[in-house]
Amino acid sequence: MFRPMRRAAFFDLAHPERPPNEDVALRDALENHRAMGDLVVLIVDALRPLPEKLSTEGTLLRLPASATCDRDKCTTVVEAMTRLCIDPVSCFGYGDLCAGTGLLSVVGNPRVIACSAKSGRLAQERGWPVIMAPSSV
């Protein structure tokens, strides 16, 4: 049976609090994907609450409490794409490099929320676009 290709956008929210301007950048990206009809997947730690400003509609993917490293996150995302029958090449991933590269390395369209100058340089070296948060000034 023919199944149309479905896209998904994975948002890594499983890391410490971000500055409010980064939440604005993520929220804008989330709304753009939703408007395009993409499946929006919010990834959070099992023990951390979902950030209120980003808790709009979306599929919630909680990492198991036993998840301790970036590889666990990567495995969880790959398993989700497999269960949803979504081609990783058509997926987007949003996250910061301070939390690791796992999510960004398993999707075809990684987007970096830069948390430091070093992460911005690493993103540039890998050819990954950097989402610039609006200035908080």
Side-chain angles (χ1 to χ4, degrees):
M1 180 175 158
F2 174 77
R3 184 179 245 181
M5 183 178 289
R6 185 175 192 191
R7 292 187 341 170
F10 292 87
F11 291 84
D12 182 359
L13 306 179
H15 49 79
E17 290 293 318
R18 291 171 306 280
N21 58 331
E22 288 183 13
D23 278 347
V24 170
L26 285 174
R27 190 172 50 247
D28 288 348
L30 187 146
E31 290 171 3
N32 287 337
H33 281 285
R34 187 170 291 115
M36 297 283 294
D38 296 337
L39 174 64
V40 171
V41 182
L42 308 175
I43 303 164
V44 296
D45 285 333
L47 305 175
R48 183 172 289 141
L50 184 63
E52 287 181 33
K53 293 179 180 175
L54 294 174
S55 63
T56 56
E57 299 174 28
T59 298
L60 188 60
L61 180 58
R62 286 211 180 265
L63 296 172
S66 61
T68 58
C69 65
D70 194 42
R71 186 175 47 174
D72 294 331
K73 186 185 311 175
C74 179
T75 300
T76 301
V77 169
V78 169
E79 288 172 356
M81 288 187 287
T82 301
R83 283 192 313 268
L84 295 167
C85 298
I86 297 175
D87 183 359
V89 172
S90 67
C91 290
F92 289 78
Y94 292 83
D96 67 45
L97 295 178
C98 295
T101 61
L103 166 66
L104 299 174
S105 65
V106 297
V107 297
N109 301 286
R111 302 292 186 258
V112 176
I113 303 295
C115 59
S116 69
K118 182 180 176 184
S119 69
R121 284 191 302 277
L122 180 58
Q124 187 175 21
E125 289 171 10
R126 294 179 181 212
W128 293 349
V130 176
I131 304 298
M132 298 305 293
S135 175
S136 58
V137 184

